[in-house]
Amino acid sequence: MLLATVGGAVAFVLVATGSLIGGAVAGVLVLGAAMFAIRASVPEDPGRRRFLGLMGGLGLAAVAAGTAAGAVVRRLTRPDPRPALEAMASDLGSEYLELVTRSYNAERLGDLQLLVTPYSSSNYPQESLSLESNDPRSSHAVTWMYGERVPIVVWSPGRIEPQDHTERVTLADLAPTTARLMGFDEFEAADGVALPGIPTVTPPVQPRLVVTLVIDGGGWNVLRRWPDAWPNLQRLMREGATYRNAISGSFPAVTASTHATIGTGAFPRTHGITGHNVRRDGGPVKAWGRAGHVDPSFLLEPTLADRWTGWTEDAAWVGEIGYQVWHVGMLGRGGRPMGEAPVGVYWDEDGGGGWSPHHPELYRLPNTTPGLERLDELSAGWDPPAPSPYDPKGKKAMCCFPPVVRYQGELIEATFDSEPIGQDEIPDLLYLNFKAPDYAGHVYNMDDPRQAEVLAAVDREVGALADLLTERFGDGRSVLIVTADHGQCPEIDANGGVRIDPIQLEEDLNAEFGTSVFGLVQMVAPSEVYLDPKALTDSGLSAEDVAAFLADYRYGDNIGPYIRPAAVQRDRLHERSFAAVLPASYIAELAGTDLARFGATAYDDADPGGMPAVTW
């Protein structure tokens, strides 16, 4: 009886301090060992054997009771995480919480959403391992307005009158705007509405073509930083409908999410691309799957292009020319326009460079594409800046520089020359992305002159495209929409931010909560943490407990032993790493509720300059 009680006590202690499964198994093992030893020493007496069996049953009951009691004690002795969550939400304020709730998708979202403090940045592991003093590399996986504010201009001389708008709009409004321009009244977006001032049209006065061009990483804080680098975009703003109070519309402001929003007119809560990583089949995976073999089923909402090709019974031409896998979110699957796979193009970095279809069975290249030797010619005629220790190597060598921008411009021109774009009265759709400004910002930072150089190169392509549309289609028969997907993070050290090291963060979470027989942390991404649900259950934890622990997590707590001393900002050791860490379960509670109770944000510096003024 004493040994049976010991088994229950062992289960109680281990469960109360660690693992439900570990405690129960240990209790059973203690009980089993005791029973085996006693049984071996008991004479062959049926009565005593029956009594021993009864004690074994009671022992199992004691283990079960100890396990249950340990779980209860563990829950009761853990601090209530709710006050910490409410305090962080109040610091964020209602405006930013709305951006967060627009990304809540129960199937896809990571367990913890990491909202860094303004001007802070989450490293990638390789950046932490090679971090230098005043390191320029940064991430824009933020919710703050400097990352959210983007330009939107709708340009179509003869169709769109020059106009200036200050209404709050989002990238989700672009798909319904395009639908209105085409007279596609049957299209209903999940979240977006047509931009104000856009006229409704009916056949036969639709445009023959609507082009949506995204300057990747070309948000307003980048444009303001380099005001002389975009004269062609300024010309379009003078001549078209400009929306100065436009934002990406959801957290995080990253490429994968925003391009799906542009394509569908829905926020991530509906289209499912909640970030560059999403939960699928029990764990985190890269959104869209493998480059060159994308899986369109990642997108849960059909795009405007999908619906348009279906509505026109594949009579319309649709296509996308981008640089990475994420950009296919503007196009979606695209149907079988004119009986062929749609044009869907990315830059094959892993294959050594060159344009490739997103999937050889689902997408295709334009009928004519310039060869790689043309990029070599453009590179030979370019005077590169002085070498930098951060210069990309190998497959990414030209990612941030003007030659690849011009090379993509020539691919666009070749597409117009070799494809039947805008050749009948059914409006066609073309989606474009120039990635180089975003790449330059990640590698060199938006404050580096290389950013101005590559932004100017993209602006030249914007001007060239506008001229091409005018020449081929005349006034009013084409529409060009120019926008960006997000802003960028300025230099971290110079602006008072701190860096979050994902390697050390994972180690700290495992040290604090890693008592389960399962590993707790599946992955730390720049804007979220994925936790193993089995580990949470086994250790009696909730994601709320983990989030509350990170509420007071400081920069000094997050410095790994591999960080070079010169890269440590010693005057910021006590700075908070996160403005908020919100578990998906808490975001689910907030979604659909009145967020006004959270009031204004405590971070007044998160929207420097506010809505941009007219400067063109």
Side-chain angles (χ1 to χ4, degrees), residues 279-458:
R279 188 183 297 281
R280 205 179 199 204
D281 299 327
V285 298
K286 288 294 182 185
W288 295 102
R290 183 162 56 93
H293 286 79
V294 302
D295 180 359
S297 70
F298 271 88
L299 194 64
L300 303 179
E301 179 81 354
T303 63
L304 170 64
D306 291 330
R307 294 179 178 180
W308 183 237
T309 52
W311 179 257
T312 62
E313 297 181 341
D314 289 329
W317 187 97
V318 301
E320 172 264 331
I321 297 174
Y323 198 87
Q324 286 185 316
V325 62
W326 327 118
H327 305 145
V328 76
M330 296 188 289
L331 174 66
R333 175 60 182 85
R336 295 284 297 178
M338 301 182 181
E340 294 186 276
V343 168
V345 178
Y346 81 107
W347 183 258
D348 187 9
E349 289 180 340
D350 291 333
W355 305 113
S356 294
H358 285 295
H359 191 295
E361 297 175 7
L362 303 176
Y363 307 91
R364 65 180 177 87
L365 292 174
N367 288 326
T368 301
T369 60
L372 273 174
E373 68 282 355
R374 178 56 184 156
L375 178 59
D376 294 336
E377 293 173 4
L378 292 168
S379 300
W382 168 64
D383 184 19
S388 162
Y390 306 104
D391 285 342
K393 302 292 191 298
K395 60 190 180 184
K396 293 185 178 180
M398 294 304 297
C399 67
C400 312
F401 301 115
V404 79
V405 174
R406 175 80 280 264
Y407 184 51
Q408 187 172 352
E410 292 187 0
L411 172 64
I412 294 168
E413 293 166 2
T415 301
F416 274 94
D417 289 338
S418 64
E419 295 285 336
I421 302 175
Q423 295 184 4
D424 55 38
E425 295 300 321
I426 298 176
D428 296 331
L429 294 172
L430 174 61
Y431 295 93
L432 307 172
N433 174 285
F434 283 92
K435 183 67 178 175
D438 181 61
Y439 252 144
H442 281 292
V443 176
Y444 303 110
N445 197 272
M446 59 167 277
D447 289 322
D448 190 281
R450 292 174 180 83
Q451 180 68 268
E453 183 182 32
V454 77
L455 181 62
V458 172

